[in-house]
Amino acid sequence: MPTSMTGSALSFSKVLLATDFSPASQAAFQVALRVCTELRASLSILHVLEDPYVPSSGPGGQFFELDSISQADRRSLDSLREAAQLAGVPCEANMVNGTASLAILEAISTQNADLVVLGTSALHGFERLVFGSTAEAILREAPCPVLTVGPQVSQSAMTSHSEGPIVFATDFHRTTTHAIRYAKPFCVASKSPLHCLHVLPRALESNSPNQIVPMIMTEALHHVATESGTTIRSPICAVTYGSEISNAVVEYAKQHKAKLIVLGVRRASMLASHVQAHITYRIITEAPCPVLTICFASEQESTQTAA
């Protein structure tokens, strides 16, 4: 990853925003501006023009060149760049032809982006048909963290959540617990507290009158925070219950007016099964705040790479 795991601290200096000028992308632009301002990062805005021709509604199915649309998109892109510069954020804007996911991944690589910001308008449903193939591909394949702005993230909510915590949700899988380190730059820059969260099955809630299990899990969360190698002042370690992990994480974020949710994701599980991906997508599409995902190789992938 461009944002190195080595050393005592991580930093984000180059942020890439992919936009299609949709309402979801406009919300993502506002989030990207705030992130760049807080982290003192530069912003690169990318728009991908996917189709060289667009069918007209006129008789005969006439096709017309995309020149007029391209010019309109360029004006929109320039407007975003100017707005970023007026906000004091160093910014460049580029428009390229190609497949959106491939072009975005290439831009991440060539620009050495530390963070990519996306907006998605997915509302309900399962997997890529609703989440969006482009957002899904970037989330799975990006070599850097991905900040996704879902459809429930409104400007008013972001304003009211300005004092809220950053929530790191974990299932304790050792390939993903390192994601807590990526929460630190956001905690420091925004002066936000860190909440470490684990979801227990609903069945345990009534079967633990002495709260032994929550106490054990809370200690485990403190252990993760300590072992991360990143000092985060006084993290709050919380345990909640839920039959659906995604619902429990989203509900916790709503109750505490979270500013950001941080998730470590296992790349193999996203590619080979639907369970982890389903949880991740549900959190993104239902969360009241942006969601930062960091995709890690599985232990098997890491072993194969080392070999």
Side-chain angles (χ1 to χ4, degrees):
M1 289 184 176
T3 309
S4 174
M5 286 290 292
T6 61
S8 59
L10 298 168
S11 63
F12 296 92
S13 60
K14 297 180 180 179
V15 175
L16 174 66
L17 168 70
T19 182
D20 60 3
F21 310 119
S22 65
S25 288
Q26 293 297 330
F29 172 68
Q30 296 300 323
V31 170
L33 280 187
R34 192 194 69 185
V35 167
C36 288
T37 300
E38 291 180 348
L39 299 176
R40 298 181 180 180
S42 62
L43 178 63
S44 176
I45 306 176
L46 176 67
H47 174 61
V48 183
L49 209 56
E50 290 201 87
D51 298 318
Y53 296 95
V54 174
S56 72
S57 57
Q62 298 284 330
F63 284 81
F64 61 87
E65 292 282 353
L66 207 59
D67 288 345
S68 59
I69 295 178
S70 177
Q71 292 172 9
D73 286 352
R74 171 51 67 180
R75 289 192 294 271
S76 297
L77 201 57
D78 289 340
S79 295
L80 292 179
R81 176 178 52 79
E82 292 169 3
Q85 291 174 342
L86 285 174
V89 175
C91 181
E92 64 176 23
N94 298 289
M95 185 167 66
V96 299
N97 294 322
T99 302
S101 58
L102 296 179
I104 295 168
L105 289 170
E106 182 178 358
I108 294 171
S109 177
T110 57
Q111 297 181 25
N112 292 318
D114 300 310
L115 176 70
V116 58
V117 181
L118 300 172
T120 178
S121 57
L123 293 174
H124 300 285
F126 182 76
E127 296 294 340
R128 72 185 61 171
L129 293 178
V130 178
F131 184 79
S133 58
T134 296
E136 180 193 8
I138 302 306
L139 191 148
R140 288 194 287 107
E141 301 296 336
C144 65
V146 179
L147 185 63
T148 308
V149 183
Q152 307 302 324
V153 181
S154 64
Q155 190 61 39
S156 59
M158 292 305 300
T159 301
S160 64
H161 293 189
S162 60
E163 302 299 323
I166 289 173
V167 176
F168 166 63
T170 180
D171 61 359
F172 291 109
H173 195 284
R174 53 189 174 184
T175 63
T176 63
T177 52
H178 289 297
I180 191 175
R181 298 190 63 211
Y182 290 84
K184 181 179 180 179
F186 293 91
C187 289
V188 172
S190 62
K191 299 179 181 179
S192 302
L194 175 68
H195 288 204
C196 300
L197 176 68
H198 179 66
V199 180
L200 287 171
R202 178 73 69 185
L204 292 178
E205 187 172 16
S206 58
N207 294 332
S208 303
N210 296 321
Q211 297 299 304
I212 295 176
V213 173
M215 287 176 59
I216 293 173
M217 302 312 292
T218 301
E219 285 299 316
L221 285 169
H222 278 291
H223 181 70
V224 168
T226 302
E227 277 214 332
S228 68
T230 300
T231 303
I232 301 176
R233 185 177 178 182
S234 304
I236 294 174
C237 296
V239 173
T240 188
Y241 297 90
S243 53
E244 287 283 347
I245 294 175
S246 56
N247 290 344
V249 172
V250 168
E251 187 60 31
Y252 185 92
K254 289 180 179 178
Q255 289 177 356
H256 293 82
K257 296 185 176 181
K259 180 180 294 184
L260 177 70
I261 296 173
V262 178
L263 301 174
V265 180
R266 299 188 294 279
R267 177 169 285 127
S269 67
M270 296 187 72
L271 292 170
S273 72
H274 299 305
V275 177
Q276 186 69 24
H278 178 49
I279 293 172
T280 302
Y281 297 162
R282 284 287 302 276
I283 291 174
I284 288 173
T285 56
E286 299 295 336
C289 59
V291 178
L292 181 72
T293 55
I294 304 95
C295 204
F296 293 96
S298 66
E299 293 171 317
Q300 181 178 2
E301 285 180 304
S302 298
T303 301
Q304 290 173 345
T305 301

